[in-house]
Amino acid sequence: MDTDAPQPAGTDAPQPADTDTPQPAGTDAAFWQERRTCFLTTLRPDGSPHLTPVGVTYDPGTRIARVITDGASKKARNVRAALAAGGEARVAVAQVDGRRWCSLEGRAVVKDDPASVADAERRYAERYKTPRANPNRVVIEITVTRALGTAKPPGW
């Protein structure tokens, strides 16, 4: 099947997600489970983009993407600044593998409570490896509102 060809209307309708069942390699779900470097874009207070390589986990059941980082990182500061200014912290994460790619867009918050951080670390370890110890770690949680690309996760 030519993945560049337009798809019939209705093929992007959300489907039920099964987050407990590993997906076979080559599926769009596997694309968000395989180890690969992703990129996070946040906006600086002046509106210019800040792009950085990160590890991302994605839960298709809740449509939440997570990035673990140091609480003093520029990406965490950008999200906090947008929220403190009374606005939304609009962000995007993306990954690519040859002709397969996906961008997830949404609204971000920074969480520093131990339960949220531990959950994000567990998810990160499943996709990548156990993260190094960091007492200042936070998690950027992204409520995904749009998925674009040739390898969108289940439900998009």
Side-chain angles (χ1 to χ4, degrees), residues 16-25 27-33 58-61 126 154:
D18 180 357
T19 59
D20 295 328
T21 305
Q23 299 296 314
T27 67
D28 292 343
F31 190 64
W32 284 98
Q33 295 170 345
Y58 177 69
D59 181 342
E126 289 174 3

Side-chain angles (χ1 to χ4, degrees), residues 52-133:
T52 186
V54 295
V56 175
T57 61
Y58 177 69
D59 181 342
T62 61
R63 290 190 172 179
I64 293 177
R66 293 172 177 84
V67 174
I68 58 174
T69 188
D70 190 276
S73 70
K74 182 63 176 164
K75 53 191 157 287
R77 292 192 328 261
N78 285 344
V79 171
R80 285 180 172 138
L83 297 171
E88 294 180 325
R90 303 290 297 180
V91 302
V93 292
Q95 62 182 2
V96 65
D97 181 28
R99 293 175 56 111
R100 296 174 66 210
W101 66 276
C102 184
S103 293
L104 303 176
E105 300 174 357
R107 294 176 199 84
V109 296
V110 176
K111 293 189 173 181
D112 59 6
D113 65 280
S116 294
V117 172
D119 180 54
E121 289 173 331
R122 177 189 59 79
R123 292 169 186 272
Y124 181 93
E126 289 174 3
R127 183 173 187 191
Y128 298 98
K129 64 180 183 177
T130 301
R132 63 178 168 72

